[in-house]
Amino acid sequence: SGDKGADQKAEAPVPYQFWNLALLGLTFSLAQSTVSGHLTVSPLVVDDLGYSNISTLPVFAVDVGAMVSAWFIGWVMRKQGRRAGFLLGEFAGMLACLTCAGALYLNSLALLTIGGFLLGIWSAAAYYARFVAGDVVSERLKGRAVSWVLVGSSICASAGPVLATRTSTVLPRQFMAFYLIAAILALVS
């Protein structure tokens, strides 16, 4: 066909491409930093609760949550749009962090595990940012866009454990401040 423009998607101006890319990177980074903080903190909390033989159960729950929800989040993004899928994940992340904070307050392994499952949902939604990154930039920036999002999240992944240790004694319950701050970060993302 003679109309090349009909098959090409409308391209956003370059500043908007970078803005969209920055937002995707932020979303992915905040989720991964929270998950990495949870992976660091939850075994310590479970051990303190006296369940040292199953101290990684909340860590396992993150993986299960991600596996169970990945297809559903993709379906939501296909049917309702990407924003709906990301908002679903971010809501799950905020709920996860509040559930984990409640678990610390109540000394509940079950709630901490449920919180881990919900964090897996947030993580699964955030992982879609890698794929979307290639779609929100021009053809010449596609390869770089995906790697920028991944590099940014890799750097920020260390922020979770650092935040958890720096805030571990801010509130009477150890690590509760981390989860409350992470809930705010989920809301912001």
Side-chain angles (χ1 to χ4, degrees), residues 136-173:
V136 299
V137 296
S138 64
E139 196 64 39
R140 68 180 176 83
L141 294 176
K142 265 187 198 277
R144 289 185 192 161
V146 174
S147 57
W148 287 341
V149 169
L150 289 174
V151 167
S153 69
S154 297
I155 293 168
C156 288
S158 63
V162 170
L163 179 64
T165 45
R166 298 272 190 238
T167 62
S168 64
T169 58
V170 170
L171 294 175
R173 302 281 184 175

Short mmCIF file of all heavy atoms in Angstrom, two decimals, residues 136-173:
data_model
loop_
_atom_site.label_atom_id
_atom_site.label_comp_id
_atom_site.label_asym_id
_atom_site.label_seq_id
_atom_site.Cartn_x
_atom_site.Cartn_y
_atom_site.Cartn_z
N VAL A 136 6.51 2.87 24.22
CA VAL A 136 6.22 4.29 24.43
C VAL A 136 7.30 5.21 23.84
O VAL A 136 7.22 6.42 24.01
CB VAL A 136 6.03 4.63 25.93
CG1 VAL A 136 4.84 3.86 26.50
CG2 VAL A 136 7.28 4.40 26.73
N VAL A 137 8.28 4.63 23.19
CA VAL A 137 9.35 5.45 22.60
C VAL A 137 9.43 5.17 21.10
O VAL A 137 8.87 4.19 20.60
CB VAL A 137 10.72 5.16 23.26
CG1 VAL A 137 10.71 5.56 24.73
CG2 VAL A 137 11.12 3.71 23.11
N SER A 138 10.16 6.01 20.42
CA SER A 138 10.33 5.83 18.98
C SER A 138 11.13 4.56 18.70
O SER A 138 11.79 4.01 19.58
CB SER A 138 11.04 7.04 18.38
OG SER A 138 12.35 7.14 18.90
N GLU A 139 11.06 4.12 17.48
CA GLU A 139 11.73 2.87 17.06
C GLU A 139 13.22 2.90 17.38
O GLU A 139 13.79 1.91 17.81
CB GLU A 139 11.48 2.66 15.56
CG GLU A 139 11.78 1.27 15.08
CD GLU A 139 10.88 0.21 15.70
OE1 GLU A 139 9.69 0.44 15.87
OE2 GLU A 139 11.41 -0.87 16.02
N ARG A 140 13.85 4.04 17.20
CA ARG A 140 15.30 4.12 17.40
C ARG A 140 15.70 4.03 18.88
O ARG A 140 16.83 3.72 19.20
CB ARG A 140 15.87 5.39 16.77
CG ARG A 140 15.46 6.67 17.44
CD ARG A 140 16.06 7.90 16.74
NE ARG A 140 15.57 9.10 17.34
CZ ARG A 140 16.07 9.65 18.44
NH1 ARG A 140 17.09 9.10 19.04
NH2 ARG A 140 15.55 10.75 18.93
N LEU A 141 14.76 4.27 19.80
CA LEU A 141 15.07 4.22 21.23
C LEU A 141 14.59 2.93 21.92
O LEU A 141 14.80 2.77 23.11
CB LEU A 141 14.43 5.41 21.95
CG LEU A 141 14.96 6.80 21.59
CD1 LEU A 141 14.14 7.87 22.30
CD2 LEU A 141 16.42 6.92 21.97
N LYS A 142 13.93 2.06 21.19
CA LYS A 142 13.34 0.85 21.79
C LYS A 142 14.31 0.03 22.63
O LYS A 142 14.03 -0.29 23.77
CB LYS A 142 12.74 -0.03 20.70
CG LYS A 142 11.29 0.17 20.48
CD LYS A 142 10.79 -0.88 19.49
CE LYS A 142 9.48 -0.47 18.91
NZ LYS A 142 8.37 -0.78 19.75
N GLY A 143 15.43 -0.33 22.06
CA GLY A 143 16.41 -1.16 22.78
C GLY A 143 16.92 -0.49 24.03
O GLY A 143 17.05 -1.11 25.09
N ARG A 144 17.20 0.79 23.92
CA ARG A 144 17.68 1.52 25.10
C ARG A 144 16.61 1.67 26.16
O ARG A 144 16.91 1.63 27.35
CB ARG A 144 18.16 2.91 24.68
CG ARG A 144 19.42 2.90 23.90
CD ARG A 144 19.86 4.32 23.65
NE ARG A 144 20.93 4.33 22.67
CZ ARG A 144 21.27 5.39 22.00
NH1 ARG A 144 20.64 6.53 22.18
NH2 ARG A 144 22.26 5.34 21.14
N ALA A 145 15.37 1.86 25.74
CA ALA A 145 14.28 2.09 26.69
C ALA A 145 14.14 0.91 27.65
O ALA A 145 14.04 1.10 28.86
CB ALA A 145 12.98 2.34 25.94
N VAL A 146 14.11 -0.28 27.12
CA VAL A 146 13.96 -1.46 27.96
C VAL A 146 15.15 -1.59 28.91
O VAL A 146 14.99 -1.84 30.11
CB VAL A 146 13.80 -2.74 27.10
CG1 VAL A 146 13.80 -3.98 27.96
CG2 VAL A 146 12.54 -2.65 26.26
N SER A 147 16.35 -1.37 28.41
CA SER A 147 17.52 -1.50 29.28
C SER A 147 17.56 -0.39 30.33
O SER A 147 17.98 -0.64 31.46
CB SER A 147 18.81 -1.53 28.47
OG SER A 147 18.94 -0.40 27.67
N TRP A 148 17.10 0.81 30.02
CA TRP A 148 17.06 1.89 31.02
C TRP A 148 16.13 1.54 32.18
O TRP A 148 16.45 1.76 33.34
CB TRP A 148 16.63 3.21 30.40
CG TRP A 148 17.66 3.85 29.52
CD1 TRP A 148 19.01 3.60 29.49
CD2 TRP A 148 17.43 4.84 28.52
NE1 TRP A 148 19.61 4.37 28.53
CE2 TRP A 148 18.67 5.15 27.92
CE3 TRP A 148 16.28 5.48 28.06
CZ2 TRP A 148 18.79 6.07 26.92
CZ3 TRP A 148 16.41 6.41 27.05
CH2 TRP A 148 17.65 6.70 26.49
N VAL A 149 14.98 0.98 31.83
CA VAL A 149 14.03 0.58 32.88
C VAL A 149 14.63 -0.52 33.74
O VAL A 149 14.56 -0.49 34.97
CB VAL A 149 12.68 0.15 32.27
CG1 VAL A 149 11.79 -0.52 33.30
CG2 VAL A 149 11.97 1.35 31.65
N LEU A 150 15.28 -1.49 33.12
CA LEU A 150 15.88 -2.59 33.88
C LEU A 150 17.06 -2.14 34.73
O LEU A 150 17.20 -2.55 35.88
CB LEU A 150 16.31 -3.71 32.93
CG LEU A 150 15.17 -4.49 32.30
CD1 LEU A 150 15.71 -5.48 31.27
CD2 LEU A 150 14.37 -5.22 33.35
N VAL A 151 17.91 -1.28 34.17
CA VAL A 151 19.05 -0.79 34.94
C VAL A 151 18.58 0.04 36.13
O VAL A 151 19.07 -0.11 37.25
CB VAL A 151 20.02 0.02 34.04
CG1 VAL A 151 21.02 0.80 34.86
CG2 VAL A 151 20.73 -0.91 33.08
N GLY A 152 17.59 0.90 35.89
CA GLY A 152 17.06 1.72 36.98
C GLY A 152 16.49 0.88 38.10
O GLY A 152 16.72 1.15 39.28
N SER A 153 15.78 -0.17 37.73
CA SER A 153 15.19 -1.02 38.77
C SER A 153 16.26 -1.84 39.48
O SER A 153 16.14 -2.11 40.67
CB SER A 153 14.13 -1.94 38.17
OG SER A 153 14.73 -2.91 37.35
N SER A 154 17.31 -2.21 38.78
CA SER A 154 18.39 -2.96 39.42
C SER A 154 19.10 -2.11 40.46
O SER A 154 19.45 -2.58 41.53
CB SER A 154 19.40 -3.44 38.37
OG SER A 154 18.78 -4.32 37.48
N ILE A 155 19.31 -0.86 40.12
CA ILE A 155 19.94 0.06 41.07
C ILE A 155 19.03 0.28 42.27
O ILE A 155 19.47 0.24 43.42
CB ILE A 155 20.30 1.39 40.39
CG1 ILE A 155 21.40 1.15 39.35
CG2 ILE A 155 20.71 2.44 41.41
CD1 ILE A 155 21.64 2.32 38.42
N CYS A 156 17.74 0.48 42.01
CA CYS A 156 16.80 0.76 43.09
C CYS A 156 16.48 -0.47 43.93
O CYS A 156 15.99 -0.33 45.05
CB CYS A 156 15.51 1.33 42.52
SG CYS A 156 15.72 3.01 41.92
N ALA A 157 16.76 -1.65 43.42
CA ALA A 157 16.48 -2.86 44.20
C ALA A 157 17.25 -2.87 45.51
O ALA A 157 16.79 -3.42 46.51
CB ALA A 157 16.81 -4.10 43.38
N SER A 158 18.42 -2.24 45.54
CA SER A 158 19.18 -2.17 46.78
C SER A 158 18.58 -1.17 47.76
O SER A 158 18.90 -1.20 48.95
CB SER A 158 20.64 -1.83 46.49
OG SER A 158 20.73 -0.55 45.90
N ALA A 159 17.71 -0.29 47.27
CA ALA A 159 17.11 0.72 48.14
C ALA A 159 16.17 0.10 49.17
O ALA A 159 16.06 0.59 50.29
CB ALA A 159 16.36 1.76 47.31
N GLY A 160 15.48 -0.99 48.80
CA GLY A 160 14.55 -1.62 49.73
C GLY A 160 15.21 -2.11 51.01
O GLY A 160 14.80 -1.73 52.11
N PRO A 161 16.24 -2.95 50.91
CA PRO A 161 16.90 -3.40 52.13
C PRO A 161 17.54 -2.25 52.92
O PRO A 161 17.53 -2.27 54.15
CB PRO A 161 17.97 -4.36 51.61
CG PRO A 161 17.43 -4.86 50.31
CD PRO A 161 16.68 -3.70 49.73
N VAL A 162 18.07 -1.26 52.22
CA VAL A 162 18.65 -0.10 52.92
C VAL A 162 17.58 0.64 53.69
O VAL A 162 17.75 0.99 54.86
CB VAL A 162 19.39 0.83 51.93
CG1 VAL A 162 19.78 2.13 52.59
CG2 VAL A 162 20.61 0.13 51.35
N LEU A 163 16.44 0.89 53.03
CA LEU A 163 15.32 1.56 53.69
C LEU A 163 14.84 0.75 54.89
O LEU A 163 14.56 1.31 55.95
CB LEU A 163 14.18 1.79 52.70
CG LEU A 163 12.93 2.47 53.25
CD1 LEU A 163 13.24 3.89 53.70
CD2 LEU A 163 11.84 2.49 52.19
N ALA A 164 14.75 -0.56 54.73
CA ALA A 164 14.30 -1.42 55.82
C ALA A 164 15.23 -1.33 57.03
O ALA A 164 14.77 -1.22 58.16
CB ALA A 164 14.18 -2.86 55.34
N THR A 165 16.54 -1.36 56.80
CA THR A 165 17.47 -1.30 57.94
C THR A 165 17.53 0.09 58.55
O THR A 165 17.61 0.21 59.77
CB THR A 165 18.88 -1.74 57.53
OG1 THR A 165 19.24 -1.14 56.30
CG2 THR A 165 18.98 -3.23 57.40
N ARG A 166 17.46 1.12 57.72
CA ARG A 166 17.53 2.49 58.25
C ARG A 166 16.29 2.86 59.07
O ARG A 166 16.37 3.72 59.95
CB ARG A 166 17.69 3.51 57.12
CG ARG A 166 18.94 3.34 56.32
CD ARG A 166 20.07 4.13 56.94
NE ARG A 166 21.20 4.14 56.02
CZ ARG A 166 22.39 3.69 56.33
NH1 ARG A 166 22.61 3.18 57.50
NH2 ARG A 166 23.36 3.74 55.46
N THR A 167 15.15 2.23 58.76
CA THR A 167 13.91 2.56 59.47
C THR A 167 13.48 1.46 60.44
O THR A 167 12.38 1.52 60.98
CB THR A 167 12.77 2.81 58.46
OG1 THR A 167 12.54 1.61 57.71
CG2 THR A 167 13.08 3.96 57.54
N SER A 168 14.34 0.48 60.66
CA SER A 168 13.94 -0.70 61.43
C SER A 168 13.51 -0.38 62.85
O SER A 168 12.66 -1.08 63.41
CB SER A 168 15.06 -1.73 61.45
OG SER A 168 16.18 -1.23 62.12
N THR A 169 14.03 0.66 63.43
CA THR A 169 13.70 0.95 64.83
C THR A 169 12.95 2.28 65.00
O THR A 169 12.83 2.78 66.12
CB THR A 169 14.98 0.99 65.69
OG1 THR A 169 15.86 1.98 65.14
CG2 THR A 169 15.66 -0.36 65.71
N VAL A 170 12.42 2.81 63.92
CA VAL A 170 11.69 4.09 63.99
C VAL A 170 10.40 3.93 64.79
O VAL A 170 10.03 4.81 65.57
CB VAL A 170 11.42 4.63 62.58
CG1 VAL A 170 10.47 5.81 62.61
CG2 VAL A 170 12.72 5.01 61.90
N LEU A 171 9.71 2.84 64.58
CA LEU A 171 8.46 2.56 65.30
C LEU A 171 8.70 1.44 66.31
O LEU A 171 9.68 0.70 66.20
CB LEU A 171 7.36 2.15 64.31
CG LEU A 171 6.92 3.25 63.33
CD1 LEU A 171 5.92 2.70 62.33
CD2 LEU A 171 6.33 4.44 64.07
N PRO A 172 7.81 1.30 67.29
CA PRO A 172 8.02 0.26 68.31
C PRO A 172 8.15 -1.15 67.75
O PRO A 172 8.89 -1.96 68.29
CB PRO A 172 6.77 0.38 69.19
CG PRO A 172 6.27 1.76 68.99
CD PRO A 172 6.64 2.14 67.59
N ARG A 173 7.45 -1.47 66.67
CA ARG A 173 7.57 -2.78 66.04
C ARG A 173 8.65 -2.72 64.97
O ARG A 173 8.58 -1.90 64.05
CB ARG A 173 6.25 -3.22 65.39
CG ARG A 173 5.09 -3.28 66.31
CD ARG A 173 5.14 -4.54 67.12
NE ARG A 173 3.93 -4.59 67.94
CZ ARG A 173 3.61 -5.59 68.68
NH1 ARG A 173 4.39 -6.63 68.75
NH2 ARG A 173 2.52 -5.57 69.40
#
